[in-house]
Every structure is written in structure tokens, then in C-alpha cells.
Amino acid sequence: MTKTFSPGLVHAPVTPFKRDQGIDYDTYAKVLEFHLRNGAEALALPMPEGEDMSLKDGELREILEFAIKRVKGRVPVIAHVSDAGTSIAVERAVHAEKAGAAAIASHPPYFWHPKPVMVVEHLARIGAAVKLPFYVCNPPVESVGTTLSTEIVLQLIERVPNLAGVIDASLEFVFMEEVVSNGRRLRPGFQLLAGQDYLVPAAALGGSGAIVPLAGIAPRLVRQVYDLCKQEKYVEARGMQEDIAQLHHL
């Protein structure tokens, strides 16, 4: 497996647009600097919060290259390379590695409902295309066709040496617990990252990091909850986690 990569508290920048619907790179540079000033230990982009589904393939590559150059190694950049087409996602992963990304992340195919064996093949090919740490994402169920299951993840661990962990936004406790306990039996150090604004559930089950959309709105509040979770002070984190929940609802 590749060397250990622990992203910590990851911010997911939004993508600003101009009136002509092109990317506003001047504003995007300011967005990136905002995250860096406010405690981002890594950046993941473009995630759903960054309008990945609204960007053309060329724009996806451009925005990743721009971010990596702008960040200048101050924090790692995780490239989101999801696509329903396997070859498209593979090409994005290869581009991300050449551009200098620190890791890649991908969902199961969007919208389609392939059989689990096809999801395994899709994700395995993406991970095998690069040497970077690879994270598979488990988004809210309405976002995808075939739900990421524990069995799919365990098969991927067997097939993909650089599979580093799962980014979970489903808030499915059974899935998270099974992935952590069974995944680490096969691969010590296998990671569970929260992929939602709710940090406490994943952390309580052994999670080691988080990609938090609201870190772009309330970074200090998110940092406080994250730090308390790292100290396993979940009761103390509850009140602030409820504040984050109210912001999420808004």
C-alpha cells in the first residue's frame, strides 16, 4: 500500500461562477485562501458542494490544476474524480495524479443502478489507475444508483492496494461500524472519514477525519467540534454539533 495519508479536517470549497456561467477564478482564489486561513488541513474538490456535476470535463481539470497551483503545497488537495463512465473517471484520476493531487476520491457510478460486481469493477479500475491514496465515497442514497455496501468495500480492499478508506455521507451506523471493524481486520489503518456536517457519529465509531461542507460557512465552530471528537469528548461536542445541524437545515 502507498504511504499513510491522513487528511484530518478537510474543507470542500464551493465553486463561484460569473454571470456568463464561467468559473470566477479571481473569487475562487479568495475562497481557497479563506479555507487555508481558517484551519483546513486538506482541501477536497470539486465535491458536490463545488458543483462537480455542473462543470464540463475541461473545467474539472482546470479547477483542480488552479487549486493545486494556488495552494502551493500548504495543504494536500484531494481530487474528486467521480463519473458514471469508468474510462472518464479513470482519465480524471490519471490527470489528478499528474497535476499533483495528494489523493483521489470517487463515488459509485451516478444515477445508474449497476450490479454490485460492476460497482466493484468500476471503482477498482479507478483506484488501480494511480498510485495515490484512494477513497471511495458513500453519498446520501438519493445521489447514486447502487448503494456502497460493506461487501463492496471489502472486495475493493482485496483488489486495490492503495485504497485508504471510505468517506461516508450516508450516516448509516451499521455500514460505518462494519466498514471500520471489518476493513481494519483486512487492512490496519483503514480510514473512515465523515462526509457530512455531522462529525460525531463517524468519530464515535472510530473515524479519523472529516470532509465538512459547513467548514466554508462556520469554520471555527466546525473546528471546535472536530477537536472535541479527536479527544473523544462526544458529550461536550453535542451542543455545538446541534448548532451545526441547525445551520445544515438552513
Side-chain angles (χ1 to χ4, degrees):
M1 183 177 174
T2 53
K3 65 180 181 180
T4 301
F5 174 76
S6 299
L9 177 56
V10 185
H11 290 207
V14 298
T15 301
F17 294 93
K18 297 181 289 188
R19 289 189 178 276
D20 64 3
Q21 299 186 22
I23 299 171
D24 185 345
Y25 281 107
D26 289 339
T27 301
Y28 193 57
K30 296 176 183 177
V31 169
L32 296 175
E33 293 301 325
F34 170 85
H35 287 290
L36 295 175
R37 288 195 309 269
N38 284 279
E41 297 176 355
L43 299 175
L45 57 98
M47 298 298 284
E49 299 76 25
E51 304 285 354
D52 67 304
M53 294 293 289
S54 303
L55 298 173
K56 302 173 185 176
D57 192 67
E59 291 175 323
L60 289 168
R61 296 174 186 237
E62 288 175 4
I63 201 167
L64 177 64
E65 292 172 359
F66 180 89
I68 290 171
K69 290 178 181 177
R70 182 75 190 189
V71 170
K72 296 180 180 178
R74 286 175 284 177
V75 298
V77 175
I78 301 170
H80 179 213
V81 301
S82 296
D83 195 88
T86 304
S87 61
I88 297 173
V90 165
E91 289 176 2
R92 288 178 183 167
V94 171
H95 168 263
E97 185 170 49
K98 292 179 179 178
I104 61 170
S106 185
H107 294 303
Y110 288 127
F111 308 128
W112 304 107
H113 293 75
K115 296 178 180 179
V117 67
M118 298 170 71
V119 175
V120 171
E121 187 66 26
H122 174 82
L123 293 170
R125 290 192 184 189
I126 297 168
V130 297
K131 296 180 179 178
L132 298 175
F134 177 40
Y135 292 87
V136 291
C137 304
N138 192 28
V141 67
E142 66 269 15
S143 299
V144 297
T146 304
T147 302
L148 192 68
S149 67
T150 303
E151 289 72 22
I152 289 174
V153 175
L154 297 181
Q155 289 178 55
L156 287 170
I157 292 175
E158 296 282 5
R159 289 188 55 179
V160 185
N162 53 322
L163 184 65
V166 168
I167 300 167
D168 182 79
S170 72
L171 295 175
E172 292 286 345
F173 281 82
V174 173
F175 170 78
M176 288 190 286
E177 177 60 30
E178 287 184 344
V179 162
V180 167
S181 59
N182 291 290
R184 288 178 182 168
R185 288 192 186 99
L186 293 176
R187 180 163 297 161
F190 190 75
Q191 300 170 38
L192 171 66
L193 276 63
Q196 267 278 17
D197 294 316
Y198 305 101
L199 290 79
V200 173
L205 293 173
S208 56
I211 298 179
V212 189
L214 276 174
I217 302 297
R220 293 181 183 177
L221 178 60
V222 168
R223 166 57 69 178
Q224 287 177 303
V225 175
Y226 179 77
D227 287 343
L228 286 171
C229 287
K230 285 185 67 176
Q231 299 170 45
E232 300 184 0
K233 296 181 178 180
Y234 306 119
V235 175
E236 293 87 341
R238 179 176 175 177
M240 286 180 284
Q241 179 67 87
E242 291 176 352
D243 291 339
I244 290 176
Q246 290 185 30
L247 284 173
H248 180 94
H249 180 69
L250 290 171

